[in-house]
Amino acid sequence: MICGSLRTGSTNEAALRTAAAVAPGGVTTTLFDRLSELPHFNPDDDREPLHPTVAELRQGIGAADALLFCTPEYAGTLPGTLKNLLDWTIGGGEVNGTPAGWVNSSVAPTGAAGAYATLRSVLGYAGADLVEAACAHIPVPRDALGPDGLITESALRTEIAGVLTALSDHVAGKRTHQD
């Protein structure tokens, strides 16, 4: 799981942490929490030895059965830090063919449409297997968070679990077709 927000107490991170808490049986989640430690992408640095955080990111994505994103929108698009992360994934090719989805937690009137259009574009360019059933706009107001930083509202938790189920079902379907 990859969060595009660096903000402490972010509803985007809360959505992903809640996803981990409500994950269906058999689904294991890992939150990449080193976004702020990634160096600025420079193609000249996209070679061995990779920066340790870039190596960790690529290893994690390469080992993942699927990716789940949640990001805010800044200036009508993805935050620069998330775009930087995505730039680091192009050269390694780890995203290529990997099922991906997202939870759009925005409560803004535009629903962070620009960020998610850009995310769709970049994931498509990277060759991700975009799972439409796992791409959901689930607005998360700040007052839906409990003291532990997780979403407390059961309807929202159910919708988030549904996104993980859609990803899991898609991965299972791909495995069945490969066998």
Side-chain angles (χ1 to χ4, degrees), residues 131-164:
V131 181
E132 293 297 333
C135 298
H137 183 214
I138 306 171
V140 178
R142 290 213 174 275
D143 63 0
L145 305 184
D148 59 358
L150 297 178
I151 297 168
T152 57
E153 192 174 314
S154 64
L156 296 176
R157 292 170 69 91
T158 299
E159 286 186 76
I160 291 169
V163 169
L164 284 174

PDB file of all heavy atoms in Angstrom, residues 131-164:
ATOM      1  N   VAL A 131      -7.249  -2.423 -11.843  1.00  0.00           N
ATOM      2  CA  VAL A 131      -8.443  -3.188 -11.492  1.00  0.00           C
ATOM      3  C   VAL A 131      -9.561  -2.190 -11.188  1.00  0.00           C
ATOM      4  O   VAL A 131      -9.605  -1.608 -10.102  1.00  0.00           O
ATOM      5  CB  VAL A 131      -8.175  -4.113 -10.283  1.00  0.00           C
ATOM      6  CG1 VAL A 131      -9.425  -4.921  -9.930  1.00  0.00           C
ATOM      7  CG2 VAL A 131      -6.980  -5.028 -10.567  1.00  0.00           C
ATOM      8  N   GLU A 132     -10.444  -1.983 -12.146  1.00  0.00           N
ATOM      9  CA  GLU A 132     -11.489  -0.963 -11.998  1.00  0.00           C
ATOM     10  C   GLU A 132     -12.360  -1.191 -10.762  1.00  0.00           C
ATOM     11  O   GLU A 132     -12.741  -0.242 -10.084  1.00  0.00           O
ATOM     12  CB  GLU A 132     -12.357  -0.897 -13.254  1.00  0.00           C
ATOM     13  CG  GLU A 132     -11.630  -0.381 -14.481  1.00  0.00           C
ATOM     14  CD  GLU A 132     -11.126   1.051 -14.355  1.00  0.00           C
ATOM     15  OE1 GLU A 132     -11.696   1.863 -13.598  1.00  0.00           O
ATOM     16  OE2 GLU A 132     -10.132   1.370 -15.046  1.00  0.00           O
ATOM     17  N   ALA A 133     -12.662  -2.445 -10.454  1.00  0.00           N
ATOM     18  CA  ALA A 133     -13.490  -2.744  -9.279  1.00  0.00           C
ATOM     19  C   ALA A 133     -12.782  -2.402  -7.976  1.00  0.00           C
ATOM     20  O   ALA A 133     -13.416  -2.358  -6.921  1.00  0.00           O
ATOM     21  CB  ALA A 133     -13.891  -4.221  -9.285  1.00  0.00           C
ATOM     22  N   ALA A 134     -11.473  -2.146  -8.045  1.00  0.00           N
ATOM     23  CA  ALA A 134     -10.689  -1.799  -6.855  1.00  0.00           C
ATOM     24  C   ALA A 134     -10.297  -0.329  -6.859  1.00  0.00           C
ATOM     25  O   ALA A 134      -9.362   0.070  -6.165  1.00  0.00           O
ATOM     26  CB  ALA A 134      -9.454  -2.682  -6.766  1.00  0.00           C
ATOM     27  N   CYS A 135     -10.993   0.472  -7.635  1.00  0.00           N
ATOM     28  CA  CYS A 135     -10.776   1.924  -7.676  1.00  0.00           C
ATOM     29  C   CYS A 135     -12.063   2.582  -7.186  1.00  0.00           C
ATOM     30  O   CYS A 135     -13.074   2.562  -7.890  1.00  0.00           O
ATOM     31  CB  CYS A 135     -10.443   2.391  -9.089  1.00  0.00           C
ATOM     32  SG  CYS A 135      -8.926   1.682  -9.746  1.00  0.00           S
ATOM     33  N   ALA A 136     -12.027   3.133  -5.987  1.00  0.00           N
ATOM     34  CA  ALA A 136     -13.254   3.635  -5.380  1.00  0.00           C
ATOM     35  C   ALA A 136     -13.072   5.004  -4.752  1.00  0.00           C
ATOM     36  O   ALA A 136     -12.049   5.279  -4.127  1.00  0.00           O
ATOM     37  CB  ALA A 136     -13.732   2.648  -4.306  1.00  0.00           C
ATOM     38  N   HIS A 137     -14.087   5.836  -4.928  1.00  0.00           N
ATOM     39  CA  HIS A 137     -14.137   7.114  -4.229  1.00  0.00           C
ATOM     40  C   HIS A 137     -14.921   6.877  -2.947  1.00  0.00           C
ATOM     41  O   HIS A 137     -16.128   6.635  -2.978  1.00  0.00           O
ATOM     42  CB  HIS A 137     -14.797   8.180  -5.096  1.00  0.00           C
ATOM     43  CG  HIS A 137     -14.817   9.523  -4.452  1.00  0.00           C
ATOM     44  ND1 HIS A 137     -15.827  10.410  -4.632  1.00  0.00           N
ATOM     45  CD2 HIS A 137     -13.942  10.139  -3.617  1.00  0.00           C
ATOM     46  CE1 HIS A 137     -15.588  11.512  -3.934  1.00  0.00           C
ATOM     47  NE2 HIS A 137     -14.447  11.361  -3.310  1.00  0.00           N
ATOM     48  N   ILE A 138     -14.205   6.904  -1.832  1.00  0.00           N
ATOM     49  CA  ILE A 138     -14.796   6.679  -0.514  1.00  0.00           C
ATOM     50  C   ILE A 138     -14.424   7.880   0.354  1.00  0.00           C
ATOM     51  O   ILE A 138     -13.383   7.892   1.009  1.00  0.00           O
ATOM     52  CB  ILE A 138     -14.280   5.361   0.115  1.00  0.00           C
ATOM     53  CG1 ILE A 138     -14.514   4.182  -0.838  1.00  0.00           C
ATOM     54  CG2 ILE A 138     -14.931   5.120   1.474  1.00  0.00           C
ATOM     55  CD1 ILE A 138     -13.845   2.888  -0.409  1.00  0.00           C
ATOM     56  N   PRO A 139     -15.229   8.949   0.319  1.00  0.00           N
ATOM     57  CA  PRO A 139     -14.888  10.149   1.089  1.00  0.00           C
ATOM     58  C   PRO A 139     -14.764   9.862   2.584  1.00  0.00           C
ATOM     59  O   PRO A 139     -15.627   9.221   3.179  1.00  0.00           O
ATOM     60  CB  PRO A 139     -16.061  11.089   0.811  1.00  0.00           C
ATOM     61  CG  PRO A 139     -16.696  10.572  -0.444  1.00  0.00           C
ATOM     62  CD  PRO A 139     -16.484   9.093  -0.421  1.00  0.00           C
ATOM     63  N   VAL A 140     -13.656  10.318   3.157  1.00  0.00           N
ATOM     64  CA  VAL A 140     -13.374  10.094   4.574  1.00  0.00           C
ATOM     65  C   VAL A 140     -13.238  11.449   5.277  1.00  0.00           C
ATOM     66  O   VAL A 140     -12.200  12.095   5.207  1.00  0.00           O
ATOM     67  CB  VAL A 140     -12.079   9.271   4.765  1.00  0.00           C
ATOM     68  CG1 VAL A 140     -11.781   9.081   6.261  1.00  0.00           C
ATOM     69  CG2 VAL A 140     -12.165   7.927   4.045  1.00  0.00           C
ATOM     70  N   PRO A 141     -14.298  11.887   5.961  1.00  0.00           N
ATOM     71  CA  PRO A 141     -14.184  13.131   6.730  1.00  0.00           C
ATOM     72  C   PRO A 141     -13.328  12.907   7.974  1.00  0.00           C
ATOM     73  O   PRO A 141     -13.250  11.800   8.508  1.00  0.00           O
ATOM     74  CB  PRO A 141     -15.635  13.445   7.104  1.00  0.00           C
ATOM     75  CG  PRO A 141     -16.364  12.148   7.012  1.00  0.00           C
ATOM     76  CD  PRO A 141     -15.625  11.289   6.030  1.00  0.00           C
ATOM     77  N   ARG A 142     -12.667  13.957   8.419  1.00  0.00           N
ATOM     78  CA  ARG A 142     -11.788  13.852   9.598  1.00  0.00           C
ATOM     79  C   ARG A 142     -12.525  13.326  10.829  1.00  0.00           C
ATOM     80  O   ARG A 142     -11.947  12.612  11.635  1.00  0.00           O
ATOM     81  CB  ARG A 142     -11.164  15.205   9.921  1.00  0.00           C
ATOM     82  CG  ARG A 142     -10.147  15.615   8.895  1.00  0.00           C
ATOM     83  CD  ARG A 142      -9.030  16.420   9.507  1.00  0.00           C
ATOM     84  NE  ARG A 142      -8.034  16.647   8.481  1.00  0.00           N
ATOM     85  CZ  ARG A 142      -7.068  15.803   8.165  1.00  0.00           C
ATOM     86  NH1 ARG A 142      -6.961  14.687   8.805  1.00  0.00           N
ATOM     87  NH2 ARG A 142      -6.216  16.071   7.211  1.00  0.00           N
ATOM     88  N   ASP A 143     -13.804  13.665  10.950  1.00  0.00           N
ATOM     89  CA  ASP A 143     -14.523  13.215  12.147  1.00  0.00           C
ATOM     90  C   ASP A 143     -14.878  11.727  12.093  1.00  0.00           C
ATOM     91  O   ASP A 143     -15.448  11.187  13.037  1.00  0.00           O
ATOM     92  CB  ASP A 143     -15.764  14.069  12.408  1.00  0.00           C
ATOM     93  CG  ASP A 143     -16.810  13.998  11.304  1.00  0.00           C
ATOM     94  OD1 ASP A 143     -16.601  13.281  10.296  1.00  0.00           O
ATOM     95  OD2 ASP A 143     -17.846  14.666  11.454  1.00  0.00           O
ATOM     96  N   ALA A 144     -14.517  11.049  11.003  1.00  0.00           N
ATOM     97  CA  ALA A 144     -14.734   9.598  10.902  1.00  0.00           C
ATOM     98  C   ALA A 144     -13.560   8.814  11.478  1.00  0.00           C
ATOM     99  O   ALA A 144     -13.587   7.587  11.502  1.00  0.00           O
ATOM    100  CB  ALA A 144     -14.962   9.194   9.447  1.00  0.00           C
ATOM    101  N   LEU A 145     -12.520   9.542  11.933  1.00  0.00           N
ATOM    102  CA  LEU A 145     -11.334   8.888  12.490  1.00  0.00           C
ATOM    103  C   LEU A 145     -11.450   8.790  14.008  1.00  0.00           C
ATOM    104  O   LEU A 145     -11.846   9.739  14.680  1.00  0.00           O
ATOM    105  CB  LEU A 145     -10.064   9.662  12.136  1.00  0.00           C
ATOM    106  CG  LEU A 145      -9.802   9.928  10.659  1.00  0.00           C
ATOM    107  CD1 LEU A 145      -8.461  10.620  10.474  1.00  0.00           C
ATOM    108  CD2 LEU A 145      -9.879   8.663   9.849  1.00  0.00           C
ATOM    109  N   GLY A 146     -11.068   7.622  14.523  1.00  0.00           N
ATOM    110  CA  GLY A 146     -11.051   7.416  15.968  1.00  0.00           C
ATOM    111  C   GLY A 146      -9.725   7.878  16.546  1.00  0.00           C
ATOM    112  O   GLY A 146      -8.817   8.293  15.824  1.00  0.00           O
ATOM    113  N   PRO A 147      -9.580   7.790  17.857  1.00  0.00           N
ATOM    114  CA  PRO A 147      -8.347   8.209  18.527  1.00  0.00           C
ATOM    115  C   PRO A 147      -7.116   7.430  18.056  1.00  0.00           C
ATOM    116  O   PRO A 147      -5.995   7.915  18.128  1.00  0.00           O
ATOM    117  CB  PRO A 147      -8.612   7.948  20.005  1.00  0.00           C
ATOM    118  CG  PRO A 147     -10.047   7.623  20.137  1.00  0.00           C
ATOM    119  CD  PRO A 147     -10.593   7.328  18.786  1.00  0.00           C
ATOM    120  N   ASP A 148      -7.336   6.221  17.545  1.00  0.00           N
ATOM    121  CA  ASP A 148      -6.225   5.405  17.051  1.00  0.00           C
ATOM    122  C   ASP A 148      -5.845   5.745  15.606  1.00  0.00           C
ATOM    123  O   ASP A 148      -4.950   5.146  15.031  1.00  0.00           O
ATOM    124  CB  ASP A 148      -6.560   3.913  17.164  1.00  0.00           C
ATOM    125  CG  ASP A 148      -7.805   3.522  16.373  1.00  0.00           C
ATOM    126  OD1 ASP A 148      -8.451   4.395  15.751  1.00  0.00           O
ATOM    127  OD2 ASP A 148      -8.145   2.319  16.387  1.00  0.00           O
ATOM    128  N   GLY A 149      -6.555   6.712  15.007  1.00  0.00           N
ATOM    129  CA  GLY A 149      -6.265   7.118  13.637  1.00  0.00           C
ATOM    130  C   GLY A 149      -6.916   6.253  12.585  1.00  0.00           C
ATOM    131  O   GLY A 149      -6.709   6.469  11.387  1.00  0.00           O
ATOM    132  N   LEU A 150      -7.711   5.287  12.993  1.00  0.00           N
ATOM    133  CA  LEU A 150      -8.420   4.436  12.044  1.00  0.00           C
ATOM    134  C   LEU A 150      -9.829   4.967  11.821  1.00  0.00           C
ATOM    135  O   LEU A 150     -10.391   5.661  12.672  1.00  0.00           O
ATOM    136  CB  LEU A 150      -8.494   2.999  12.559  1.00  0.00           C
ATOM    137  CG  LEU A 150      -7.165   2.272  12.739  1.00  0.00           C
ATOM    138  CD1 LEU A 150      -7.399   0.873  13.299  1.00  0.00           C
ATOM    139  CD2 LEU A 150      -6.394   2.207  11.439  1.00  0.00           C
ATOM    140  N   ILE A 151     -10.399   4.611  10.695  1.00  0.00           N
ATOM    141  CA  ILE A 151     -11.771   4.998  10.379  1.00  0.00           C
ATOM    142  C   ILE A 151     -12.708   4.165  11.238  1.00  0.00           C
ATOM    143  O   ILE A 151     -12.592   2.941  11.297  1.00  0.00           O
ATOM    144  CB  ILE A 151     -12.051   4.794   8.877  1.00  0.00           C
ATOM    145  CG1 ILE A 151     -11.128   5.711   8.054  1.00  0.00           C
ATOM    146  CG2 ILE A 151     -13.510   5.049   8.552  1.00  0.00           C
ATOM    147  CD1 ILE A 151     -11.099   5.398   6.573  1.00  0.00           C
ATOM    148  N   THR A 152     -13.635   4.831  11.908  1.00  0.00           N
ATOM    149  CA  THR A 152     -14.539   4.134  12.812  1.00  0.00           C
ATOM    150  C   THR A 152     -15.884   3.809  12.174  1.00  0.00           C
ATOM    151  O   THR A 152     -16.553   2.870  12.611  1.00  0.00           O
ATOM    152  CB  THR A 152     -14.798   4.986  14.073  1.00  0.00           C
ATOM    153  OG1 THR A 152     -15.327   6.258  13.674  1.00  0.00           O
ATOM    154  CG2 THR A 152     -13.521   5.191  14.866  1.00  0.00           C
ATOM    155  N   GLU A 153     -16.285   4.566  11.175  1.00  0.00           N
ATOM    156  CA  GLU A 153     -17.606   4.386  10.561  1.00  0.00           C
ATOM    157  C   GLU A 153     -17.675   3.062   9.807  1.00  0.00           C
ATOM    158  O   GLU A 153     -16.910   2.818   8.872  1.00  0.00           O
ATOM    159  CB  GLU A 153     -17.891   5.560   9.625  1.00  0.00           C
ATOM    160  CG  GLU A 153     -19.310   5.630   9.152  1.00  0.00           C
ATOM    161  CD  GLU A 153     -19.573   6.877   8.343  1.00  0.00           C
ATOM    162  OE1 GLU A 153     -19.158   7.971   8.766  1.00  0.00           O
ATOM    163  OE2 GLU A 153     -20.180   6.729   7.261  1.00  0.00           O
ATOM    164  N   SER A 154     -18.611   2.207  10.200  1.00  0.00           N
ATOM    165  CA  SER A 154     -18.673   0.846   9.656  1.00  0.00           C
ATOM    166  C   SER A 154     -18.933   0.823   8.150  1.00  0.00           C
ATOM    167  O   SER A 154     -18.385  -0.032   7.451  1.00  0.00           O
ATOM    168  CB  SER A 154     -19.703   0.009  10.406  1.00  0.00           C
ATOM    169  OG  SER A 154     -20.995   0.537  10.230  1.00  0.00           O
ATOM    170  N   ALA A 155     -19.744   1.732   7.634  1.00  0.00           N
ATOM    171  CA  ALA A 155     -20.020   1.733   6.189  1.00  0.00           C
ATOM    172  C   ALA A 155     -18.742   2.020   5.394  1.00  0.00           C
ATOM    173  O   ALA A 155     -18.496   1.388   4.352  1.00  0.00           O
ATOM    174  CB  ALA A 155     -21.100   2.758   5.855  1.00  0.00           C
ATOM    175  N   LEU A 156     -17.931   2.945   5.883  1.00  0.00           N
ATOM    176  CA  LEU A 156     -16.670   3.256   5.202  1.00  0.00           C
ATOM    177  C   LEU A 156     -15.710   2.076   5.286  1.00  0.00           C
ATOM    178  O   LEU A 156     -15.035   1.730   4.311  1.00  0.00           O
ATOM    179  CB  LEU A 156     -16.025   4.505   5.800  1.00  0.00           C
ATOM    180  CG  LEU A 156     -16.800   5.815   5.652  1.00  0.00           C
ATOM    181  CD1 LEU A 156     -16.087   6.942   6.386  1.00  0.00           C
ATOM    182  CD2 LEU A 156     -16.995   6.158   4.190  1.00  0.00           C
ATOM    183  N   ARG A 157     -15.644   1.444   6.437  1.00  0.00           N
ATOM    184  CA  ARG A 157     -14.771   0.276   6.620  1.00  0.00           C
ATOM    185  C   ARG A 157     -15.188  -0.859   5.672  1.00  0.00           C
ATOM    186  O   ARG A 157     -14.334  -1.525   5.078  1.00  0.00           O
ATOM    187  CB  ARG A 157     -14.805  -0.186   8.082  1.00  0.00           C
ATOM    188  CG  ARG A 157     -14.157   0.813   9.043  1.00  0.00           C
ATOM    189  CD  ARG A 157     -14.403   0.468  10.496  1.00  0.00           C
ATOM    190  NE  ARG A 157     -13.698  -0.729  10.924  1.00  0.00           N
ATOM    191  CZ  ARG A 157     -12.481  -0.740  11.450  1.00  0.00           C
ATOM    192  NH1 ARG A 157     -11.816   0.396  11.628  1.00  0.00           N
ATOM    193  NH2 ARG A 157     -11.915  -1.872  11.824  1.00  0.00           N
ATOM    194  N   THR A 158     -16.480  -1.040   5.508  1.00  0.00           N
ATOM    195  CA  THR A 158     -16.986  -2.080   4.607  1.00  0.00           C
ATOM    196  C   THR A 158     -16.606  -1.775   3.163  1.00  0.00           C
ATOM    197  O   THR A 158     -16.195  -2.675   2.411  1.00  0.00           O
ATOM    198  CB  THR A 158     -18.515  -2.219   4.756  1.00  0.00           C
ATOM    199  OG1 THR A 158     -18.808  -2.601   6.107  1.00  0.00           O
ATOM    200  CG2 THR A 158     -19.078  -3.238   3.788  1.00  0.00           C
ATOM    201  N   GLU A 159     -16.731  -0.514   2.757  1.00  0.00           N
ATOM    202  CA  GLU A 159     -16.354  -0.125   1.387  1.00  0.00           C
ATOM    203  C   GLU A 159     -14.858  -0.350   1.150  1.00  0.00           C
ATOM    204  O   GLU A 159     -14.459  -0.835   0.091  1.00  0.00           O
ATOM    205  CB  GLU A 159     -16.708   1.336   1.130  1.00  0.00           C
ATOM    206  CG  GLU A 159     -18.185   1.593   0.952  1.00  0.00           C
ATOM    207  CD  GLU A 159     -18.436   3.035   0.556  1.00  0.00           C
ATOM    208  OE1 GLU A 159     -18.200   3.375  -0.619  1.00  0.00           O
ATOM    209  OE2 GLU A 159     -18.852   3.819   1.435  1.00  0.00           O
ATOM    210  N   ILE A 160     -14.045  -0.003   2.124  1.00  0.00           N
ATOM    211  CA  ILE A 160     -12.597  -0.199   1.994  1.00  0.00           C
ATOM    212  C   ILE A 160     -12.261  -1.684   1.919  1.00  0.00           C
ATOM    213  O   ILE A 160     -11.456  -2.104   1.090  1.00  0.00           O
ATOM    214  CB  ILE A 160     -11.848   0.511   3.145  1.00  0.00           C
ATOM    215  CG1 ILE A 160     -11.976   2.036   2.977  1.00  0.00           C
ATOM    216  CG2 ILE A 160     -10.387   0.088   3.198  1.00  0.00           C
ATOM    217  CD1 ILE A 160     -11.519   2.845   4.167  1.00  0.00           C
ATOM    218  N   ALA A 161     -12.908  -2.493   2.735  1.00  0.00           N
ATOM    219  CA  ALA A 161     -12.703  -3.943   2.670  1.00  0.00           C
ATOM    220  C   ALA A 161     -13.100  -4.461   1.290  1.00  0.00           C
ATOM    221  O   ALA A 161     -12.455  -5.374   0.746  1.00  0.00           O
ATOM    222  CB  ALA A 161     -13.497  -4.644   3.763  1.00  0.00           C
ATOM    223  N   GLY A 162     -14.127  -3.876   0.704  1.00  0.00           N
ATOM    224  CA  GLY A 162     -14.564  -4.272  -0.634  1.00  0.00           C
ATOM    225  C   GLY A 162     -13.501  -4.023  -1.695  1.00  0.00           C
ATOM    226  O   GLY A 162     -13.359  -4.814  -2.642  1.00  0.00           O
ATOM    227  N   VAL A 163     -12.746  -2.938  -1.546  1.00  0.00           N
ATOM    228  CA  VAL A 163     -11.651  -2.654  -2.481  1.00  0.00           C
ATOM    229  C   VAL A 163     -10.590  -3.748  -2.380  1.00  0.00           C
ATOM    230  O   VAL A 163     -10.111  -4.266  -3.401  1.00  0.00           O
ATOM    231  CB  VAL A 163     -11.041  -1.254  -2.206  1.00  0.00           C
ATOM    232  CG1 VAL A 163      -9.745  -1.052  -2.961  1.00  0.00           C
ATOM    233  CG2 VAL A 163     -12.044  -0.164  -2.565  1.00  0.00           C
ATOM    234  N   LEU A 164     -10.226  -4.122  -1.153  1.00  0.00           N
ATOM    235  CA  LEU A 164      -9.245  -5.188  -0.975  1.00  0.00           C
ATOM    236  C   LEU A 164      -9.766  -6.522  -1.502  1.00  0.00           C
ATOM    237  O   LEU A 164      -9.018  -7.299  -2.089  1.00  0.00           O
ATOM    238  CB  LEU A 164      -8.852  -5.317   0.492  1.00  0.00           C
ATOM    239  CG  LEU A 164      -7.912  -4.234   1.003  1.00  0.00           C
ATOM    240  CD1 LEU A 164      -7.704  -4.386   2.494  1.00  0.00           C
ATOM    241  CD2 LEU A 164      -6.590  -4.274   0.288  1.00  0.00           C
TER     242      LEU A 164
END
